[in-house]
Coordinates of all heavy atoms in Angstrom, one line a residue:
M174 N 11.2 7.5 15.7 CA 10.3 7.2 14.5 C 10.5 5.7 14.2 O 11.6 5.1 14.4 CB 10.8 8.1 13.2 CG 9.8 7.9 12.2 SD 10.3 9.1 10.8 CE 9.7 10.7 11.6
A175 N 9.5 5.2 13.7 CA 9.4 3.7 13.3 C 10.2 3.4 12.1 O 10.7 4.3 11.3 CB 7.8 3.4 13.1
Q176 N 10.5 2.1 11.8 CA 11.3 1.7 10.7 C 10.5 2.0 9.4 O 9.4 1.8 9.2 CB 11.4 0.2 10.8 CG 11.9 -0.6 9.6 CD 13.5 -0.2 9.4 OE1 14.4 -0.3 10.3 NE2 13.7 0.4 8.2
A177 N 11.2 2.7 8.6 CA 10.7 3.1 7.2 C 10.5 1.7 6.5 O 11.2 0.8 6.5 CB 11.7 3.9 6.4
L178 N 9.4 1.8 5.6 CA 9.0 0.6 5.0 C 8.8 0.9 3.5 O 8.3 2.0 3.0 CB 7.6 0.0 5.5 CG 7.6 -0.4 6.9 CD1 6.2 -0.7 7.3 CD2 8.5 -1.6 7.1
K179 N 9.2 -0.1 2.6 CA 8.9 0.0 1.2 C 7.7 -1.0 0.8 O 7.8 -2.1 1.4 CB 10.3 -0.5 0.3 CG 10.1 -0.6 -1.0 CD 11.5 -1.0 -1.6 CE 11.3 -1.5 -3.0 NZ 10.5 -0.8 -3.9
A180 N 6.8 -0.5 0.1 CA 5.6 -1.4 -0.2 C 5.8 -2.0 -1.6 O 6.3 -1.5 -2.5 CB 4.3 -0.6 -0.2
T181 N 5.3 -3.2 -1.7 CA 5.2 -4.0 -3.0 C 3.8 -4.5 -3.2 O 3.3 -5.0 -2.1 CB 6.2 -5.1 -3.0 OG1 7.6 -4.6 -2.7 CG2 6.2 -5.8 -4.4
V182 N 3.1 -4.4 -4.3 CA 1.9 -4.9 -4.6 C 2.0 -6.1 -5.6 O 2.7 -5.8 -6.6 CB 1.0 -3.9 -5.3 CG1 -0.3 -4.6 -5.5 CG2 0.7 -2.7 -4.3
D183 N 1.5 -7.3 -5.3 CA 1.5 -8.4 -6.2 C 0.3 -8.3 -7.1 O -0.8 -8.6 -6.7 CB 1.4 -9.7 -5.4 CG 1.5 -10.9 -6.3 OD1 1.4 -10.7 -7.4 OD2 1.7 -12.0 -5.8
L184 N 0.5 -7.7 -8.3 CA -0.6 -7.5 -9.2 C -1.2 -8.6 -9.7 O -2.3 -8.6 -10.3 CB -0.2 -6.4 -10.3 CG 0.2 -5.1 -9.8 CD1 0.7 -4.2 -11.0 CD2 -1.0 -4.4 -9.3
S185 N -0.6 -9.9 -9.6 CA -1.1 -11.0 -10.1 C -2.3 -11.5 -9.1 O -3.1 -12.4 -9.5 CB -0.1 -12.2 -10.1 OG 0.4 -12.6 -8.9
V186 N -2.3 -11.0 -8.0 CA -3.5 -11.4 -7.1 C -4.4 -10.2 -6.6 O -5.5 -10.3 -6.3 CB -3.1 -12.0 -5.8 CG1 -2.4 -13.4 -6.1 CG2 -2.2 -11.2 -5.0
C187 N -3.9 -8.9 -7.0 CA -4.7 -7.7 -6.7 C -5.9 -7.7 -7.5 O -5.8 -8.0 -8.7 CB -3.8 -6.5 -7.0 SG -4.8 -4.9 -7.0
N188 N -7.0 -7.3 -6.9 CA -8.3 -7.2 -7.7 C -8.8 -5.7 -7.9 O -9.8 -5.6 -8.4 CB -9.4 -8.1 -6.9 CG -9.4 -9.4 -7.4 OD1 -9.0 -9.8 -8.5 ND2 -9.9 -10.3 -6.6
G189 N -8.0 -4.9 -7.6 CA -8.3 -3.5 -7.7 C -9.4 -2.9 -6.9 O -10.1 -2.0 -7.3
H190 N -9.6 -3.5 -5.7 CA -10.6 -3.0 -4.8 C -10.4 -1.4 -4.4 O -11.4 -0.8 -4.2 CB -10.7 -3.8 -3.5 CG -10.9 -5.2 -3.7 ND1 -12.0 -5.8 -4.0 CD2 -9.9 -6.3 -3.6 CE1 -11.9 -7.1 -4.2 NE2 -10.8 -7.4 -3.8
G191 N -9.1 -1.0 -4.2 CA -8.9 0.2 -4.0 C -8.8 0.5 -2.5 O -8.4 1.7 -2.2
R192 N -8.8 -0.4 -1.6 CA -8.6 0.0 -0.2 C -7.2 0.5 0.1 O -7.1 1.3 0.9 CB -8.8 -1.3 0.7 CG -10.2 -1.8 0.6 CD -10.4 -2.9 1.6 NE -11.7 -3.7 1.5 CZ -12.1 -4.5 2.3 NH1 -11.3 -5.0 3.3 NH2 -13.3 -5.1 2.0
C193 N -6.3 0.0 -0.6 CA -4.9 0.4 -0.3 C -4.7 1.9 -0.6 O -4.2 2.6 0.3 CB -3.9 -0.4 -1.0 SG -4.1 -0.5 -2.8
Y194 N -5.2 2.4 -1.7 CA -4.8 3.7 -2.0 C -5.9 4.7 -1.2 O -5.6 5.9 -1.2 CB -4.8 4.2 -3.5 CG -5.8 3.5 -4.4 CD1 -7.0 4.1 -4.6 CD2 -5.5 2.3 -5.1 CE1 -8.0 3.5 -5.5 CE2 -6.4 1.9 -6.1 CZ -7.7 2.3 -6.2 OH -8.5 1.8 -7.0
M195 N -7.0 4.1 -0.7 CA -7.8 4.9 0.0 C -7.3 5.0 1.5 O -7.4 6.0 2.2 CB -9.3 4.4 0.1 CG -10.0 4.7 -1.2 SD -11.8 4.3 -1.2 CE -11.6 2.5 -1.5
T196 N -6.6 3.9 1.9 CA -6.2 3.8 3.3 C -4.8 4.5 3.5 O -4.6 5.2 4.5 CB -5.9 2.3 3.7 OG1 -7.2 1.7 3.5 CG2 -5.5 2.2 5.0
A197 N -3.9 4.5 2.4 CA -2.6 5.0 2.5 C -2.3 5.9 1.2 O -1.6 5.5 0.3 CB -1.6 4.0 2.6
P198 N -3.1 7.0 1.1 CA -3.0 7.9 -0.2 C -1.7 8.5 -0.4 O -1.4 8.9 -1.5 CB -4.1 8.9 0.2 CG -4.2 9.1 1.6 CD -4.0 7.7 2.1
E199 N -0.8 8.5 0.6 CA 0.5 9.0 0.3 C 1.5 7.9 -0.1 O 2.6 8.3 -0.6 CB 1.2 9.7 1.7 CG 0.3 11.0 2.0 CD 0.9 11.7 3.3 OE1 2.0 11.2 3.7 OE2 0.3 12.5 3.8
I200 N 1.1 6.8 0.0 CA 1.9 5.7 -0.5 C 1.5 5.1 -1.8 O 2.3 4.7 -2.7 CB 1.9 4.6 0.6 CG1 2.3 5.1 1.9 CG2 2.9 3.4 0.2 CD1 3.6 5.7 2.0
F201 N 0.2 5.1 -2.0 CA -0.3 4.5 -3.3 C -1.2 5.4 -4.1 O -2.0 6.2 -3.4 CB -1.3 3.2 -2.9 CG -0.6 2.1 -2.1 CD1 -0.8 2.1 -0.8 CD2 0.2 1.2 -2.8 CE1 -0.3 1.0 -0.2 CE2 0.9 0.3 -2.1 CZ 0.6 0.2 -0.7
D202 N -1.1 5.4 -5.4 CA -2.0 6.1 -6.3 C -2.7 4.9 -7.0 O -2.5 3.7 -6.8 CB -1.2 7.0 -7.2 CG -2.2 8.0 -7.8 OD1 -3.5 8.0 -7.7 OD2 -1.7 8.9 -8.7
C203 N -3.6 5.3 -7.9 CA -4.2 4.3 -8.7 C -4.0 4.7 -10.2 O -4.0 5.8 -10.6 CB -5.7 4.0 -8.3 SG -6.7 5.5 -8.7
D204 N -3.9 3.6 -11.0 CA -3.8 3.7 -12.5 C -5.2 3.9 -13.1 O -6.2 3.9 -12.4 CB -3.0 2.6 -13.1 CG -3.7 1.2 -13.1 OD1 -4.9 1.2 -12.9 OD2 -3.0 0.3 -13.3
D205 N -5.2 4.2 -14.4 CA -6.6 4.3 -15.0 C -7.6 3.2 -14.9 O -8.7 3.3 -15.2 CB -6.3 4.7 -16.5 CG -5.6 6.1 -16.7 OD1 -5.6 6.8 -15.8 OD2 -5.1 6.2 -17.7
D206 N -7.0 2.1 -14.6 CA -7.9 0.8 -14.4 C -8.2 0.6 -13.0 O -8.9 -0.5 -12.7 CB -7.2 -0.3 -15.1 CG -7.0 -0.2 -16.6 OD1 -8.0 0.3 -17.1 OD2 -5.8 -0.5 -17.1
G207 N -7.8 1.4 -12.0 CA -8.1 1.2 -10.7 C -7.1 0.3 -9.8 O -7.4 0.0 -8.7
Y208 N -6.0 0.1 -10.6 CA -5.0 -0.8 -9.8 C -3.9 0.1 -9.1 O -3.6 1.3 -9.6 CB -4.3 -1.7 -10.8 CG -5.3 -2.9 -11.1 CD1 -6.2 -2.9 -12.3 CD2 -5.3 -4.0 -10.4 CE1 -6.9 -3.8 -12.6 CE2 -6.1 -5.1 -10.6 CZ -6.9 -5.0 -11.8 OH -7.9 -5.9 -12.1
P209 N -3.4 -0.3 -8.1 CA -2.5 0.5 -7.3 C -1.1 0.8 -8.0 O -0.6 -0.2 -8.6 CB -2.4 -0.1 -5.9 CG -2.6 -1.6 -6.2 CD -3.7 -1.6 -7.4
V210 N -0.5 1.8 -7.7 CA 0.9 2.3 -8.1 C 1.5 2.8 -6.8 O 0.9 3.6 -6.1 CB 0.8 3.4 -9.2 CG1 2.2 3.8 -9.6 CG2 -0.1 3.0 -10.5
V211 N 2.7 2.2 -6.5 CA 3.4 2.5 -5.4 C 4.1 3.9 -5.6 O 4.9 4.1 -6.6 CB 4.4 1.5 -4.9 CG1 5.2 2.1 -3.8 CG2 3.8 0.3 -4.6
L212 N 3.8 4.9 -4.8 CA 4.4 6.3 -5.0 C 5.7 6.5 -4.4 O 6.5 7.1 -4.9 CB 3.5 7.3 -4.4 CG 2.0 7.4 -5.1 CD1 1.2 8.5 -4.2 CD2 2.1 8.0 -6.4
G213 N 6.0 5.9 -3.2 CA 7.1 6.0 -2.6 C 7.2 5.2 -1.3 O 6.2 4.5 -1.0
E214 N 8.2 5.3 -0.5 CA 8.4 4.6 0.7 C 7.6 5.4 1.9 O 7.4 6.6 1.8 CB 9.8 4.6 1.1 CG 10.7 3.7 0.1 CD 12.1 4.1 0.2 OE1 12.5 5.0 1.0 OE2 13.0 3.2 -0.4
A215 N 7.3 4.5 2.9 CA 6.6 5.1 4.0 C 7.7 5.5 5.0 O 8.4 4.5 5.5 CB 5.7 4.0 4.7
T216 N 7.9 6.8 5.4 CA 8.9 7.2 6.2 C 8.5 7.9 7.4 O 9.2 7.8 8.4 CB 10.0 8.2 5.5 OG1 9.1 9.3 5.0 CG2 10.6 7.4 4.3
T217 N 7.3 8.5 7.4 CA 6.8 9.2 8.7 C 6.0 8.2 9.5 O 5.4 7.2 8.8 CB 5.9 10.4 8.2 OG1 4.6 9.9 7.6 CG2 6.6 11.5 7.3
D218 N 5.7 8.6 10.7 CA 4.9 7.7 11.5 C 3.6 7.4 10.9 O 2.9 6.4 10.9 CB 4.8 8.2 12.9 CG 6.1 8.1 13.7 OD1 6.9 7.3 13.4 OD2 6.3 8.7 14.7
Q219 N 3.0 8.6 10.4 CA 1.6 8.4 9.8 C 1.6 7.6 8.6 O 0.7 6.6 8.3 CB 1.2 9.9 9.5 CG -0.3 9.8 8.8 CD -1.3 9.5 9.8 OE1 -1.4 10.1 11.0 NE2 -2.1 8.4 9.6
Q220 N 2.6 7.7 7.7 CA 2.8 6.9 6.5 C 3.0 5.4 6.9 O 2.3 4.5 6.2 CB 3.9 7.3 5.7 CG 3.5 8.8 4.8 CD 4.8 9.3 4.3 OE1 6.0 8.8 4.6 NE2 4.5 10.2 3.4
I221 N 3.8 5.1 7.9 CA 4.0 3.8 8.3 C 2.7 3.2 8.9 O 2.4 2.0 8.6 CB 5.1 3.7 9.3 CG1 6.5 4.2 8.6 CG2 5.2 2.3 9.9 CD1 7.6 4.5 9.5
A222 N 1.9 3.9 9.7 CA 0.8 3.4 10.1 C -0.3 3.1 9.1 O -1.0 2.1 9.2 CB 0.1 4.5 11.2
D223 N -0.3 4.1 8.0 CA -1.3 3.9 7.1 C -1.0 2.7 6.2 O -1.8 2.0 5.8 CB -1.3 5.2 6.1 CG -2.0 6.3 6.9 OD1 -2.7 6.3 7.8 OD2 -1.9 7.5 6.1
L224 N 0.4 2.5 5.9 CA 0.7 1.5 5.1 C 0.5 0.0 5.8 O 0.0 -0.9 5.2 CB 2.2 1.5 4.8 CG 2.9 0.4 4.0 CD1 2.2 0.0 2.7 CD2 4.3 0.6 3.7
T225 N 0.8 0.1 7.1 CA 0.5 -1.1 7.9 C -1.0 -1.5 7.8 O -1.4 -2.7 7.7 CB 0.9 -0.9 9.3 OG1 2.3 -0.6 9.3 CG2 0.7 -2.1 10.2
R226 N -1.9 -0.5 8.0 CA -3.4 -0.6 7.8 C -3.7 -1.2 6.4 O -4.5 -2.1 6.3 CB -4.1 0.6 8.1 CG -4.1 1.0 9.6 CD -4.8 2.3 9.9 NE -6.2 2.3 9.2 CZ -6.5 3.5 8.7 NH1 -5.9 4.6 8.5 NH2 -7.8 3.5 8.2
A227 N -3.0 -0.7 5.4 CA -3.3 -1.1 4.1 C -2.9 -2.5 3.9 O -3.6 -3.3 3.2 CB -2.6 -0.3 3.1
V228 N -1.8 -3.1 4.5 CA -1.4 -4.4 4.3 C -2.5 -5.3 5.0 O -3.0 -6.3 4.4 CB -0.1 -4.5 5.0 CG1 0.2 -6.1 5.1 CG2 1.0 -3.9 4.2
N229 N -2.9 -4.7 6.2 CA -3.8 -5.7 7.0 C -5.3 -5.7 6.4 O -6.0 -6.6 6.6 CB -4.0 -5.1 8.3 CG -2.6 -5.4 9.2 OD1 -1.9 -6.4 8.9 ND2 -2.3 -4.6 10.2
N230 N -5.6 -4.7 5.6 CA -7.0 -4.5 5.0 C -7.0 -4.9 3.6 O -8.1 -4.8 3.0 CB -7.4 -3.1 5.2 CG -7.8 -2.7 6.6 OD1 -8.2 -3.5 7.4 ND2 -7.5 -1.5 6.9
C231 N -6.1 -5.5 3.1 CA -6.1 -5.8 1.5 C -6.8 -7.2 1.5 O -6.3 -8.1 2.1 CB -4.7 -6.0 1.0 SG -4.8 -6.6 -0.6
P232 N -7.9 -7.3 0.8 CA -8.7 -8.5 0.9 C -7.9 -9.6 0.2 O -8.2 -10.8 0.5 CB -9.9 -8.3 0.0 CG -10.1 -6.8 0.1 CD -8.5 -6.2 0.1
E233 N -7.0 -9.4 -0.6 CA -6.2 -10.3 -1.4 C -4.9 -10.6 -0.8 O -4.2 -11.4 -1.5 CB -6.2 -9.9 -3.0 CG -7.6 -9.5 -3.5 CD -8.6 -10.5 -3.4 OE1 -8.2 -11.7 -3.5 OE2 -9.6 -10.2 -3.5
Q234 N -4.5 -9.9 0.2 CA -3.3 -10.1 0.8 C -2.1 -9.9 -0.3 O -1.2 -10.6 -0.4 CB -2.9 -11.4 1.4 CG -3.9 -11.7 2.6 CD -3.8 -13.0 3.3 OE1 -3.5 -14.0 2.6 NE2 -4.1 -12.9 4.6
A235 N -2.4 -8.9 -1.1 CA -1.5 -8.5 -2.2 C -0.4 -7.5 -1.9 O 0.5 -7.4 -2.6 CB -2.3 -7.9 -3.4
V236 N -0.6 -6.9 -0.6 CA 0.4 -5.9 -0.4 C 1.5 -6.4 0.6 O 1.1 -7.0 1.7 CB -0.2 -4.5 0.4 CG1 0.8 -3.5 0.6 CG2 -1.4 -4.1 -0.6
S237 N 2.8 -6.2 0.4 CA 3.8 -6.7 1.4 C 4.8 -5.5 1.6 O 4.7 -4.6 0.9 CB 4.5 -7.9 0.7 OG 5.0 -7.5 -0.5
T238 N 5.5 -5.6 2.6 CA 6.4 -4.6 2.9 C 7.8 -5.1 3.3 O 7.9 -6.3 3.7 CB 5.9 -3.7 4.1 OG1 5.8 -4.5 5.4 CG2 4.6 -3.0 3.8
A239 N 8.8 -4.3 3.1 CA 10.2 -4.7 3.5 C 10.9 -3.4 4.2 O 10.4 -2.2 3.8 CB 10.9 -5.1 2.4
P240 N 11.6 -3.7 5.1 CA 12.3 -2.5 5.8 C 13.2 -1.7 4.7 O 13.8 -2.4 3.8 CB 13.1 -3.1 6.8 CG 12.7 -4.6 7.1 CD 12.0 -4.9 5.7
V241 N 13.4 -0.5 5.0 CA 14.3 0.3 4.1 C 15.5 0.5 4.8 O 15.5 1.0 5.9 CB 13.6 1.6 3.7 CG1 14.5 2.5 2.9 CG2 12.3 1.4 3.0
G242 N 16.7 0.4 4.1 CA 17.9 0.7 4.8 C 18.4 -0.4 5.7 O 17.9 -1.3 6.0
Ligands
LIG277 S1 -6.5 -3.4 -1.4 FE1 -5.3 -5.1 -2.2 S2 -6.6 -6.0 -3.8 FE2 -7.4 -3.9 -3.4 S3 -6.3 -2.6 -4.9 FE3 -5.1 -2.5 -3.0 S4 -3.6 -4.2 -3.4 FE4 -5.3 -4.6 -4.9

């Protein structure tokens, strides 16, 4: 299994497009204003792949990751 990742969103640059929570719905939810909320770490291969896509597809480059453990 790939390295587990923890996601962080820089809300000072996030514009609430929603690509992250549509791309990685197990990692991100959205708040009432459409901004992302991190639900938890990416631990499965699918979650890690989804989170990596979310990082690469964020128009504002607001999503970053760090290895867990
Ligand atoms: S894709 Fe990026 S800019 Fe859009 S809501 Fe997610 S973190 Fe914010």
Side-chain angles (χ1 to χ4, degrees):
M174 187 172 291
Q176 168 69 55
L178 297 173
K179 173 179 169 36
T181 303
V182 177
D183 182 351
L184 291 173
S185 71
V186 297
C187 170
N188 273 336
H190 303 288
R192 289 191 193 179
C193 54
Y194 43 82
M195 288 188 280
T196 303
E199 295 184 7
I200 305 302
F201 302 102
D202 197 357
C203 64
D204 68 15
D205 290 342
D206 296 318
Y208 287 91
V210 176
V211 177
L212 295 173
E214 297 165 349
T216 57
T217 69
D218 286 345
Q219 183 66 58
Q220 289 170 342
I221 293 165
D223 288 350
L224 176 54
T225 300
R226 284 175 52 222
V228 170
N229 292 334
N230 289 326
C231 173
E233 311 302 334
Q234 299 181 325
V236 184
S237 58
T238 61
V241 175

